[in-house]
Amino acid sequence: MLITLDDPAGAPRPLGPYSQVARVQLPDGSALLYLSGQIAEGADLATQSRGVFETLAALLRAHGATLADVINIRTFLTDLDGLPAYAAVRREFLTGTPPTSTTVEVPRLFRPEALIEVDVVAAVAGPGRTADAAGQPVAAGLAQ
């Protein structure tokens, strides 16, 4: 198993001393991508949420993945009353079968203006691995 820590070119730079993506290459050629929590600028939760998903999409794209490959999402909101606004944006970006999910309210995030932070895990199929042994599509790129 090979683990690569990365700050992909073309994606927004990290806001601190951490890597944006940890890629865990599995023996069958598939990979798991662990993305650091993302925040975005904006005056309201919907705008920040949209920016977060655009950043997540850019980081995934740099590793040959898309938001359709997300298998787990973890969301931190500073006010759960904003959940409907966040959920509406999330549905715009995550259009397939929903991934596993955790959403929690926190008193604050590392930037005072941040209303939301989201991290994800994505699974990317190896070469030629798009169906399981029964010929069923492999969810999020994981072969059984």
Side-chain angles (χ1 to χ4, degrees):
M1 174 173 42
L2 174 66
I3 300 172
T4 306
L5 299 174
D6 187 25
D7 294 317
R13 304 307 315 150
L15 298 174
Y18 58 88
S19 296
Q20 296 273 60
V21 180
R23 181 183 184 102
V24 179
Q25 198 67 45
L26 302 173
D28 68 355
S30 62
L32 294 174
L33 303 175
Y34 294 83
L35 276 60
S36 291
Q38 300 298 314
I39 64 169
E41 295 181 346
D44 59 48
L45 182 58
T47 302
Q48 288 188 20
S49 298
R50 203 165 269 103
V52 162
F53 279 102
E54 289 167 355
T55 298
L56 291 168
L59 292 167
L60 291 167
R61 192 169 36 255
H63 282 268
T66 69
L67 289 167
D69 296 309
V70 170
I71 60 171
N72 179 266
I73 185 168
R74 188 169 29 205
T75 305
F76 304 92
L77 295 170
T78 58
D79 184 355
L80 276 178
D81 289 341
L83 189 58
Y86 163 67
V89 172
R90 178 178 153 157
R91 281 190 298 274
E92 291 175 28
F93 286 88
L94 298 178
T95 58
T97 303
T100 62
S101 178
T102 301
T103 302
V104 296
E105 182 178 79
V106 295
R108 66 181 183 191
L109 295 165
F110 81 102
R111 292 270 172 112
E113 67 276 13
L115 303 173
I116 184 170
E117 183 170 347
V118 178
D119 68 58
V120 301
V121 177
V124 183
R129 302 294 301 261
T130 58
D132 65 15
Q136 295 297 313
V138 176
L142 281 181
Q144 300 298 322

